[in-house]
Amino acid sequence: MDTNMTKDLAAMHGYFDEITEELLMLREIDNLEMYRLLTDLGKELKELSPEECTEENYVYGCISNVYIVDEYDQGRIFYRGNSDAHVVRGYLAILLNALSGLTPEDVITGTKEAVEAFARKTDLKASLTPNRANAFGNIYKLMVEKAARRLADEGEDPGSV
């Protein structure tokens, strides 16, 4: 875990803006170019150990197998994950990059609008099968749930998720 990756919501918004612009630019050239970028992003993810591929880390509602692990350090949450589907792995990489390093509070209360805007601007539902598009939402949902658990473990009120 790279604890130098701490960030705030402004940095997360900046990341989403950059990756959205890049995906849209590539889509204008050719949808295959956009998928190549997603596949390349997914290749950067490190494999999870078999011990990390547990029911608690499994993303339900996906056709592919997707797992997300969270770690908590110095008030920040860091995510790692992997999927057996190339395009889903790319979208997973985007969410992991965007949300890792935030505080759990920021993940819970400050990311939904940005994640929804990313999905809307990139027209996620049109570029993926319905089940794969749902996977994106389910991945995000598990990340928020893990942040809420971290807050609960710290004895704080996670509020409504």
Side-chain angles (χ1 to χ4, degrees):
M1 160 180 53
D2 182 3
T3 56
N4 293 327
M5 281 186 26
T6 62
K7 66 173 69 117
D8 59 16
L9 289 172
M12 179 210 58
H13 282 282
Y15 173 76
F16 271 129
D17 290 345
E18 286 176 28
I19 198 72
T20 298
E21 185 177 319
E22 192 170 356
L23 286 170
L24 293 177
M25 182 185 68
L26 290 172
R27 181 187 288 154
E28 283 183 23
I29 296 168
D30 182 0
N31 267 354
L32 287 176
E33 292 301 317
M34 181 184 76
Y35 290 124
R36 269 192 206 102
L37 173 63
L38 289 169
T39 301
D40 288 346
L41 288 170
K43 286 177 182 175
E44 295 174 10
L45 297 179
K46 293 182 174 70
E47 291 295 322
L48 298 177
S49 71
E51 296 79 31
E52 293 173 312
C53 295
T54 64
E55 189 173 326
E56 177 184 329
N57 295 329
Y58 185 77
V59 178
Y60 287 93
C62 300
I63 286 180
S64 54
N65 293 309
V66 183
Y67 294 91
I68 299 169
V69 174
D70 66 308
E71 297 169 0
Y72 189 66
D73 187 40
Q74 298 176 13
R76 303 285 174 161
I77 192 163
F78 299 89
Y79 297 99
R80 294 181 298 110
N82 215 317
S83 169
D84 58 5
H86 296 291
V87 174
V88 171
R89 192 178 310 136
Y91 281 113
L92 172 63
I94 290 170
L95 284 171
L96 296 175
N97 288 333
L99 276 58
S100 282
L102 294 172
T103 65
E105 295 92 337
D106 283 346
V107 171
I108 294 165
T109 63
T111 60
K112 183 177 181 182
E113 185 178 305
V115 170
E116 289 175 350
F118 169 79
R120 188 175 54 255
K121 289 176 187 173
T122 59
D123 202 10
L124 198 78
K125 291 203 182 283
S127 61
L128 294 175
T129 64
N131 287 328
R132 298 231 191 276
N134 289 338
F136 182 81
N138 291 336
I139 290 166
Y140 173 68
K141 180 181 173 195
L142 182 58
M143 293 173 80
V144 171
E145 288 171 2
K146 286 180 171 287
R149 274 188 231 130
R150 290 294 178 173
L151 278 182
D153 289 348
E154 291 297 308
E156 297 179 36
D157 178 16
S160 61
V161 177

